[in-house]
Amino acid sequence: YHYQDTTTRGFSLTHISGAGCTVYADLPILPWITELSASAASPDNFDVPFAHNDEQAHPGYYSVTLGNGVKSELTVAMRAGMGRFTFPAEGPRTLLFKAAASATVNEPKRESDSSTVQLVGDDMIRGTIHSGGFCQSDSNYVLYFVVKFAKPFSSYGTWTGEHAGDVHPGSRSASGRKDGAYISFSGATDPVVMKIGISFVSEENAAQNLAMEIPGWDFDQVHAAAKKKWTEMFDRVQTEGETPEQRTIFYTGLYHMLLSPNTFSDENGDYIGFDQKVWRLPAAQVQYANFSDWDIYRSLINFDALLMPAETSQMMQSLVRDAEQSGWLSKWPVANDVSYVRGGDSSAILLSNAYAFGAHNVDTAAALRFMIKGATQPGNGLHDQPERPQLSDYLGRGYLPTDADHEDGASFTLEYASADFADSQLAAALGDKAHAASLLASAHN
């Protein structure tokens, strides 16, 4: 979603906010009012106009009346969501599920990207999406989804490509790199109501997340619960002496701040690790993903730790778990993979800053061990990429030159020195005087 947009290709299940590259936007769902046939153009390319005057948005709720006359309302729980679509009185009432239209699938098209979609009975769709490629990296993830409908659909079909003739009415399954499914409802004019659960572990977990978080069909009740949750979070910060406009700006900024990192583990504690294995957390623990580390270490993670030390502790412990599974602290992790976006050693600074500002319920000994490893041991991790590029030169020279081999030598030197200082401060706090001294010395680089 960009504010300058005038059309939508669908309402997707996953999002990332504020990053400089696109990713996620999995399974765009688009209301459609035109009959589909075997000779129709591929729905993969369909979009619908909208205008901001027809939108309403606040935390936990979004609605828009699209240019085709369909009023679309969305609300959410943690790992599940609901949609309520009110169609015009006449004409088909169809929903398109673009299973292979994630944000990065076409930029460029990657051989590893694929999806499956299957219609089960007359009230369910389930499937799997493979995507990734954040900032043209080799990162990958797999998302599983289960969709249920309050009332049965009357007709359905799938598509398997992006050209006219790739639509298959009556088909119940499709797979590939350009597939999707559609369902239509006939008869009454009451809203089409659906609910969706997602998981990065399995379709079964997606169904369990949905059953646990949205067991019924009361859209307004789910909306009220989402509003209550956001209000409780905003109430942690009280403001005084401001104008209404300033208050709106402040709490909008607070809302944006809280959009990531994102909950990654399921209701039962399962999550997919950096070693591609399924792990299960103890009760009350959460695995987080999507750390925009280079962007947030200067101030945002500090505010996180002040505002919500318990949750931020779980975020930092998530980084420790990632390192234990991959061998190194992650760099700009997306889902359960690393993208290596930006220079420096930013996760180390996240860990030190979070601890300094109150996130103490972390395995700090393990965190420091990986921080010191990244600062002192040249080596490669996932995708054969180093945590600190050209670390040998930095250790030998005390800086990285800006030359043909080091285009960003000055920037990398500053980033490594900042990380060395962060490492030294956590080492000092934990009583490791030797590393505190040596890393403080190299921070003067």
Side-chain angles (χ1 to χ4, degrees), residues 28-264:
I29 301 167
L30 185 65
W32 196 248
I33 61 170
T34 304
E35 197 74 47
L36 294 176
S37 65
S39 60
S42 172
D44 212 62
N45 300 315
F46 291 175
D47 57 29
V48 176
F50 74 97
H52 295 306
N53 289 338
D54 300 319
E55 290 179 297
Q56 292 185 25
H58 57 251
Y61 176 84
Y62 174 80
S63 75
V64 61
T65 299
L66 298 173
N68 60 9
V70 181
K71 181 179 180 181
S72 303
E73 299 175 273
L74 311 173
T75 191
V76 291
M78 185 65 74
R79 306 164 184 85
M82 290 191 76
R84 183 166 64 188
F85 304 96
T86 303
F87 285 78
E90 298 179 358
R93 301 192 300 159
T94 300
L95 294 175
L96 311 177
F97 293 82
K98 301 180 179 182
S102 302
T104 52
V105 164
N106 299 314
E107 303 177 0
K109 190 66 182 178
R110 305 183 316 149
E111 290 295 332
S112 60
D113 292 331
S114 64
S115 62
T116 64
V117 59
Q118 181 178 8
L119 281 68
V120 181
D122 59 4
D123 64 352
M124 182 186 298
I125 302 176
R126 56 196 306 156
T128 305
I129 294 168
H130 294 250
S131 192
F134 177 67
C135 282
Q136 290 75 54
S137 69
D138 292 328
S139 60
N140 294 276
Y141 65 87
V142 182
L143 180 74
Y144 304 88
F145 63 89
V146 171
V147 190
K148 291 187 176 181
F149 303 92
K151 295 185 177 181
F153 43 81
S154 56
S155 59
Y156 53 85
T158 64
W159 65 89
T160 53
E162 55 184 333
H163 306 293
D166 290 332
V167 179
H168 310 290
S171 170
R172 283 188 166 270
S173 64
S175 62
R177 296 166 58 195
K178 273 292 183 182
D179 65 309
Y182 67 90
I183 58 170
S184 297
F185 297 82
S186 61
T189 59
D190 55 318
V192 173
V193 180
M194 70 177 188
K195 56 184 180 180
I196 304 177
I198 63 171
S199 168
F200 289 88
V201 174
S202 67
E203 290 183 19
E204 290 72 24
N205 278 24
Q208 183 177 353
N209 289 338
L210 178 57
M212 293 288 290
E213 295 184 356
I214 308 181
W217 290 100
D218 191 331
F219 182 97
D220 295 325
Q221 184 181 60
V222 176
H223 175 201
K227 182 178 181 179
K228 181 175 182 290
K229 193 175 186 69
W230 276 108
T231 300
E232 289 172 349
M233 181 60 73
F234 294 152
D235 282 347
R236 296 189 186 188
V237 183
Q238 299 297 318
T239 58
E240 295 180 355
E242 72 288 346
T243 67
E245 181 183 15
Q246 289 171 327
R247 186 166 60 248
T248 297
I249 292 171
F250 176 82
Y251 283 103
T252 299
L254 181 59
Y255 169 70
H256 290 160
M257 187 197 88
L258 294 168
L259 291 177
S260 62
N262 307 99
T263 297
F264 190 65

Side-chain angles (χ1 to χ4, degrees), residues 333-347:
V334 180
N336 60 314
D337 205 350
V338 285
S339 66
Y340 295 100
V341 175
R342 297 299 188 183
D345 192 2
S346 302
S347 285

Side-chain angles (χ1 to χ4, degrees), residues 246-299:
Q246 289 171 327
R247 186 166 60 248
T248 297
I249 292 171
F250 176 82
Y251 283 103
T252 299
L254 181 59
Y255 169 70
H256 290 160
M257 187 197 88
L258 294 168
L259 291 177
S260 62
N262 307 99
T263 297
F264 190 65
S265 50
D266 291 330
E267 279 280 356
N268 63 4
D270 286 356
Y271 73 96
I272 187 76
F274 274 53
D275 54 3
Q276 306 305 314
K277 297 179 181 178
V278 177
W279 296 78
R280 176 161 292 185
L281 296 172
Q285 292 192 21
V286 177
Q287 181 72 9
Y288 287 86
N290 308 321
F291 289 84
S292 181
D293 47 27
W294 186 88
D295 304 287
I296 66 175
Y297 78 67
R298 294 165 182 82
S299 58

Side-chain angles (χ1 to χ4, degrees), residues 389-390 393 400-413:
Q390 291 95 41
D393 280 355
L400 289 181
T402 296
D403 55 26
D405 295 325
H406 313 95
E407 292 184 4
D408 302 310
S411 174
F412 274 56
T413 299

